[in-house]
């Protein structure tokens, strides 16, 4: 049985379908992780904007303030680019141009590089070529990922990775006939 992540099913399926194996929909699991990643990116942009400081007064800046004003404009441009390209961190496959853009935006931002690396590893769990046992081993390694200690901002992702629903999403990974999502609409959105 494949269902979404609702807790309603965890008790009713074993009661009504004895011996049935239960899988959580991959689409719903990835959707929840993508939401968390988007929130982390938004928080990071807000922190950058807060560090930016106030804009100067009206009129042209004094000669002594020119450098500061130019740096502020450059930082504002970067923050805008981060917002416009926010989907690059959660997209499963990137084109060559998108990879270059992501690399440019992540330069000097180790948190952003770690975030993308994490999502690539999560997507690798659900790769069709990956066997269930291999995926479970990868998941247990991922749950102990060294960068979770370095970046407390990633704590919400670590909690999602330790949720029992994620392991249940790997249940039918080996089965070629069973779908990994709970309905046709989600299959077409994958």
């Amino acid at each position: 049985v494949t269902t979404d992540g609702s807790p309603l099913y965890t008790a009713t399926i074993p009661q009504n379908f004895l011996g049935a194996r239960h899988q959580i929909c991959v689409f719903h699991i990835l959707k929840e992780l993508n939401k968390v990643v988007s929130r982390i990116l938004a928080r990071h942009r807000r922190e950058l904007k807060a560090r930016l400081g106030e804009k100067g007064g009206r009129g042209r800046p004094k000669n002594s303030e020119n450098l500061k004003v130019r740096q502020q404009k450059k930082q504002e441009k970067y923050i805008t680019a981060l917002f416009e390209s926010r989907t690059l961190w959660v997209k499963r496959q990137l084109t060559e141009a998108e990879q270059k853009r992501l690399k440019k935006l992540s330069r000097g931002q180790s948190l952003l590089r770690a975030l993308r690396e994490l999502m690539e590893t999560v997507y690798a769990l659900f790769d069709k070529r990956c066997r269930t046992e291999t995926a479970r081993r990868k998941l247990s390694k991922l749950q102990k990922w060294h960068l979770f200690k370095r970046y407390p901002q990633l704590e919400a992702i670590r909690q999602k990775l330790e949720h029992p629903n994620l392991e249940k999403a790997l249940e039918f990974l080996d089965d070629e006939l069973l779908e990994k999502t709970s309905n046709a609409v989600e299959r077409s959105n994958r």
Side-chain angles (χ1 to χ4, degrees), residues 13-175:
I13 288 176
Q15 289 173 354
N16 296 312
F17 303 102
L18 297 173
R21 288 171 43 209
H22 180 210
Q23 173 176 289
I24 302 297
C25 174
V26 172
F27 177 85
H28 287 93
I29 295 292
L30 292 175
K31 181 179 158 190
E32 288 299 315
L33 280 168
N34 288 344
K35 278 184 192 177
V36 174
V37 169
S38 296
R39 277 189 235 126
I40 291 170
L41 283 169
R43 190 176 318 124
H44 182 68
R45 285 193 316 269
R46 281 193 303 271
E47 289 170 2
L48 288 174
K49 200 165 193 158
R51 277 189 253 151
L52 195 59
E54 291 184 25
K55 290 186 176 183
R58 295 176 59 194
R60 288 189 177 169
K62 297 177 185 171
N63 286 339
S64 60
E65 296 174 349
N66 274 340
L67 179 62
K68 184 181 175 186
V69 170
R70 271 188 265 132
Q71 287 174 339
Q72 277 184 332
K73 284 185 180 181
K74 186 177 178 182
Q75 190 70 2
E76 286 172 0
K77 208 173 181 181
Y78 174 74
I79 293 169
T80 302
L82 269 180
F83 176 75
E84 291 169 351
S85 302
R86 64 193 178 275
T87 58
L88 295 180
W89 277 268
V90 295
K91 199 170 177 184
R92 183 172 246 163
Q93 293 178 328
L94 299 173
T95 64
E96 202 171 309
E98 290 170 333
Q99 287 174 356
K100 284 180 183 178
R101 181 146 178 86
L102 183 71
K103 189 175 182 179
K104 183 179 179 183
L105 289 170
S106 299
R107 192 174 296 132
Q109 301 284 335
S110 56
L111 171 68
L112 299 181
R113 284 195 311 274
L115 204 53
R116 180 59 194 179
E117 181 185 335
L118 178 64
M119 286 309 294
E120 287 174 353
T121 309
V122 168
Y123 287 132
L125 289 175
F126 300 105
D127 190 346
K128 289 182 181 180
R129 296 168 293 183
C130 192
R131 309 288 299 166
T132 302
E133 284 308 310
T134 308
R136 285 190 174 133
R137 280 194 304 274
K138 284 181 180 181
L139 177 60
S140 67
K141 276 185 184 178
L142 188 58
Q143 290 167 339
K144 298 169 188 153
W145 197 40
H146 68 283
L147 291 178
F148 287 132
K149 291 177 184 172
R150 184 172 175 192
Y151 299 109
Q153 303 94 316
L154 301 178
E155 178 61 24
I157 294 177
R158 189 190 61 73
Q159 289 174 357
K160 288 282 184 192
L161 291 174
E162 289 182 354
H163 197 279
N165 279 354
L166 185 60
E167 191 161 334
K168 279 191 165 224
L170 304 172
E171 186 71 29
F172 299 139
L173 205 55
D174 293 340
D175 200 320

